[in-house]
Amino acid sequence: MKLVVQVKLMPDAVQATALGATLHAVNEAANWVSAVAYEHGVPREYELREHTYAELKVRGLGAQAAQHTIKKVRDAYTTLKADTRAGNLGKRGSKRRIKAESKPVTFRPNAAHPYDDRCLSWQYDAQTVSIWTTAGRMKNVRFACSADALKMLRECRQGESDLIERDGVFYLVAVCDVPEVAPYEPDGFVGVDLGITNIATTSTGYRAAGRGLNRYRKRQLELRRKLQAKGTKSARRLLKRRNRRERRHAANQNHIISKKIVTTAERTGRGIALEDLSGIRDRVRLRKDQRTKLHSWSFHQLAAFTEYKAKRAGVPLVYVDPAYTSRQCSECGHIDRKNRVDQATFACRACGALMHADDNASHNIGRKGEVAWIAGRESRVPATP
């Protein structure tokens, strides 16, 4: 299982200057390589290397830095081609697609740059790194991270690490190959109902109330509208900064919620049943004000966080079809649209069961999880006579 660990670099003034100059140099070189690639019809990496490697060496890039710069450019064009085929840039002839295909790919001055073990070495005990820069090898560059992140780096780090700069602060993002734990045999499943008013409700009674989160999102929406109305350069800069802050806030909340769900399931010896919400934005019909609420929270990210935490803990996890989970009574199984009195209230027309609507849905999801787990483990091979 691939996980990413981000550590914060704490360089001194000389080291910070060298790191900043290095990022600017390699990305300026990447823009030149991109122009050459576009001029030659985006050749393969080996051919592109023949056109650009010697010049990159003249520009002061080391051998590995030059190789990584060429590979970064070629990967960017590969991604552009994949996005075009998938229709992510619009249909053929659309303005967005024409704009993307009519000029070379460009890189920001502080865009990330990959490092391998030849140009970056880690000293875990001292919590320092030795890293290549255009000013020479910088040694004893301190970094900070949590104890768990340091342990993961020491035991599981593999492959390349990316150097990035964000608001004048440097980070190293390392890929770790963490072994998965074999899942145990669950004693039932914890159903998780996802929603807007309550972000997540489990069949064990945990409810991540969305009242405070909705207030936060509403406040951020109003601030974005004010900044967008100004349209000035400083307003756009503040919009980018606020956007990053909002993403960090959402990711932090999703980490907290997913950790609580996985911890509860592991402690009780159960598995986790999540709703399969893929494509929900295309399936549902909503008013304009409802669309804003639906798109303002990343349920896919919450599911992804829950999934990888469950894999690390060995907790079984299944995805189930959420159809009729909000209309079906978890007590008697009766399905009726009128059972859902309002957003928060569920009252069964058949047996008279009265409960919170999200609690009822979470129990239905948990039962579907048990059925899906059993069905997935049943043998499909016909029994021999």
Side-chain angles (χ1 to χ4, degrees):
M1 176 174 55
K2 302 291 185 181
L3 295 180
V4 172
V5 173
Q6 177 177 283
V7 302
K8 180 180 179 180
L9 295 181
M10 297 185 294
D12 57 30
V14 175
Q15 294 169 343
T17 302
L19 291 173
T22 299
L23 279 181
H24 282 69
V26 295
N27 285 301
E28 182 180 354
N31 286 328
W32 174 78
V33 174
S34 178
V36 173
Y38 186 79
E39 181 182 352
H40 289 79
V42 192
R44 293 184 178 182
E45 185 179 337
Y46 179 80
E47 185 182 349
L48 183 59
R49 190 179 298 122
E50 290 184 339
H51 290 295
T52 58
Y53 181 77
E55 175 63 23
L56 292 178
K57 293 286 290 181
V58 173
R59 288 172 176 247
L61 271 64
Q64 289 302 112
Q67 300 280 13
H68 285 303
T69 300
I70 296 170
K71 186 176 185 299
K72 179 170 75 171
V73 172
R74 190 62 187 85
D75 289 345
Y77 278 100
T78 301
T79 302
L80 175 62
K81 185 176 181 180
D83 286 340
T84 303
R85 285 182 174 178
N88 297 333
L89 300 177
K91 299 179 180 179
R92 186 185 298 274
S94 64
K95 291 183 179 180
R96 186 181 178 190
R97 182 165 174 174
I98 292 174
K99 183 179 179 181
E101 295 177 337
S102 62
K103 61 181 181 179
V105 174
T106 57
F107 298 85
R108 293 176 288 104
N110 59 345
H113 186 73
Y115 281 78
D116 60 16
D117 290 341
R118 294 185 181 182
C119 44
L120 173 67
S121 60
W122 299 76
Q123 295 81 44
Y124 302 115
D125 293 334
Q127 285 197 213
T128 60
V129 295
S130 172
I131 187 170
W132 172 87
T133 69
T134 52
R137 189 89 174 192
M138 290 291 165
K139 299 182 179 180
N140 300 321
V141 181
R142 295 185 299 125
F143 69 86
C145 63
S146 66
D148 290 339
L150 183 61
K151 181 181 178 182
M152 191 183 301
L153 282 171
R154 189 192 302 270
E155 297 176 354
C156 306
R157 188 190 66 81
Q158 286 188 359
E160 299 176 349
S161 303
D162 287 348
L163 174 66
I164 62 175
E165 180 188 358
R166 188 184 304 127
D167 297 332
V169 181
F170 295 95
Y171 299 90
L172 277 174
V173 179
V175 178
C176 297
D177 190 3
V178 181
E180 297 181 13
V181 179
Y184 53 78
E185 187 63 32
D187 183 18
F189 274 78
V190 176
V192 182
D193 178 62
L194 304 177
I196 300 297
T197 303
N198 296 309
I199 302 302
T201 304
T202 69
S203 55
T204 57
Y206 170 67
R207 185 178 302 157
R211 182 179 301 175
L213 296 175
N214 288 328
R215 282 201 301 266
Y216 174 83
R217 291 190 298 225
K218 185 178 180 180
R219 184 169 66 251
Q220 297 301 316
L221 179 62
E222 293 299 326
L223 290 173
R224 283 201 305 272
R225 285 173 177 169
K226 291 179 181 178
L227 290 172
Q228 288 168 350
K230 288 182 178 296
T232 61
K233 185 176 180 180
S234 60
R236 289 193 295 270
R237 185 170 61 250
L238 288 174
L239 272 172
K240 290 182 180 179
R241 187 182 304 172
R242 188 160 295 280
N243 183 34
R244 292 195 297 267
R245 183 183 302 173
E246 199 169 344
R247 288 203 305 267
R248 291 196 301 270
H249 177 78
N252 180 61
Q253 293 298 321
N254 282 336
H255 272 300
I256 293 173
I257 296 171
S258 60
K259 184 176 181 180
K260 180 69 175 180
I261 293 171
V262 174
T263 302
T264 301
E266 184 180 16
R267 188 183 67 250
T268 57
R270 302 181 186 181
I272 300 173
L274 291 176
E275 298 174 279
D276 183 5
L277 299 179
S278 56
I280 187 172
R281 289 182 171 91
D282 300 325
R283 295 198 305 267
V284 298
R285 294 183 178 180
L286 298 171
R287 298 192 307 269
K288 187 174 182 180
D289 59 333
Q290 293 175 320
R291 290 180 216 146
T292 303
K293 293 182 179 180
L294 178 65
H295 289 268
S296 60
W297 198 258
S298 178
F299 294 109
H300 175 76
Q301 185 187 68
L302 176 57
F305 287 174
T306 306
E307 183 175 348
Y308 93 77
K309 286 179 171 62
K311 287 182 178 179
R312 291 190 65 184
V315 176
L317 185 143
V318 295
Y319 288 93
V320 301
D321 184 2
Y324 303 109
T325 52
S326 61
R327 301 179 183 179
Q328 182 178 13
C329 177
S330 59
E331 297 291 337
C332 67
H334 177 66
I335 300 176
D336 192 335
R337 185 175 183 179
K338 297 180 180 179
N339 286 346
R340 187 75 177 263
V341 178
D342 52 36
Q343 186 278 324
T345 309
F346 182 91
C348 181
R349 297 277 175 163
C351 67
L354 181 65
M355 65 192 83
H356 194 282
D358 293 341
D359 290 335
N360 174 74
S362 66
H363 283 90
N364 289 329
I365 294 169
R367 290 196 180 93
K368 283 192 172 186
E370 294 185 33
V371 174
W373 177 260
I374 294 172
R377 294 173 65 86
E378 288 179 350
S379 174
R380 295 294 186 268
V381 180
T384 57

